[in-house]
Amino acid sequence: TADQRWEMRTGETGDGARIVHLVDQSGNYAAEKMRVDFVANASHELRTPLASILGFIETLNEEAGEEPALRKRFLDVMFAEAQRMQRLVEDLISLSRIEAEKYRLPGDRLDLGELLEDVAAEIEAARSPRAENVAVTVEPGLPEVVGDEAQLSQLFHNLIGNAMKYGRPGTPVTVTLGLDRSGLLRLTVVDEGEGIAPQHIPRLTERFYRVDAGRSRSVGGTGLGLAIVKHIVERHRGRLDIASKVGIGTTVSVAIPAADAVAGTSTGAAVIK
Ligand code: ADP
């Protein structure tokens, strides 16, 4: 409301990182509003498949249970709905873990190229739809990064997964990892898909924000993939850029500093676009 005034308050986390809070006159944080929306959205996303599973169980218990073909069809739907709930719960757990570690710098030195090759092999082994369209190129001799292996692997999975999900069938998904002109390790994932209209781009990393919710669900999306990516990029002091042309395709790029560039710097803010 118009008479509501907010005050900026800076604080420190346990390990010395600085944080900024917006606080109203009675001392409530603006973050509280975001938390309430998030819980409401997450509950709603879980309620829909759960209601469907309960409905099918009820029907199976009655007449449909007798008929083998119908029973099989209902069980298949229940399985798909349960998988949807599982993906959502897994993503919610990832998101809260990553957020909890936000101010702790990742500690391991690792070879990002090797990790990307591993993820590409996993995608191929899982026989994911469109896996054969994915082409990965890693520049030789890249410097190491300081990172969290599980999180960076998830970042690769989410971005390549989106390109496979939203790219047109049969078109290539081109993944490259190299050094850019400013000495950052840069991952780019290019698809030839439907693209994203400019007004949506700044909001894609919000939790549960989707351009087309029906389409996202039908390809197995949870609406949390890019929110997770954003948090992982922030924790690695990197930068995320999304460029897209409707009807042509999308390019997502992530730049992460090399290990030697991170060593010796004090806490600094990540730039996210
Ligand atoms: P989802 O699980 O729905 O894919 P994400 O957080 O990964 O959620 O992405 C949010 C939304 O951004 C998607 O629902 C989709 O509308 C859009 N999007 C993400 N990646 C692409 C892409 N490569 N091409 C077109 N649209 C995309």
Side-chain angles (χ1 to χ4, degrees), residues 56-88:
F56 280 111
I57 290 176
E58 225 171 292
T59 322
L60 278 176
N61 262 332
E62 294 156 12
E63 71 280 18
E66 315 290 318
E67 160 93 59
L70 205 55
R71 201 173 72 204
K72 165 92 173 74
R73 227 179 67 212
F74 283 12
L75 284 171
D76 286 347
V77 179
M78 286 163 65
F79 186 68
E81 294 286 22
Q83 279 185 317
R84 185 172 141 198
M85 292 178 71
Q86 187 180 41
R87 274 194 303 272
L88 188 60

Side-chain angles (χ1 to χ4, degrees), residues 11 24 33 40 70 73 82-83 87 109 114 117 120 123 137 152 162 168 192 197 209 212 214 229 233 235 262 270 272:
D24 70 9
K33 165 91 173 75
L70 205 55
R73 227 179 67 212
Q83 279 185 317
R87 274 194 303 272
R109 272 178 168 253
E114 213 169 273
E117 307 272 16
I123 290 173
T137 314
L152 291 170
N162 277 353
R168 263 189 306 278
E192 295 174 18
Y209 188 88
D212 176 346
V229 165
V233 170
R235 183 159 181 244
V262 175
I272 297 291

Side-chain angles (χ1 to χ4, degrees), residues 250-270:
T250 301
T251 299
V252 179
S253 85
V254 169
I256 291 181
D260 297 333
V262 175
T265 58
S266 61
T267 43

Side-chain angles (χ1 to χ4, degrees), residues 228-255:
I228 291 172
V229 165
K230 181 189 125 160
H231 277 92
I232 295 173
V233 170
E234 273 178 351
R235 183 159 181 244
H236 289 81
R237 298 180 183 177
R239 186 188 165 104
L240 170 67
D241 283 289
I242 302 174
S244 191
K245 277 211 174 85
V246 175
I248 306 232
T250 301
T251 299
V252 179
S253 85
V254 169

Side-chain angles (χ1 to χ4, degrees), residues 158 162-163 165-167 191 194-196 204 206 209-212 216 220-227 250 252:
N158 288 5
N162 277 353
K165 273 154 43 185
Y166 301 109
D191 68 59
E194 63 219 54
I196 309 159
L204 295 179
E206 288 175 21
Y209 188 88
R210 292 144 157 151
V211 176
D212 176 346
S216 154
T222 61
L224 294 175
L226 287 177
T250 301
V252 179

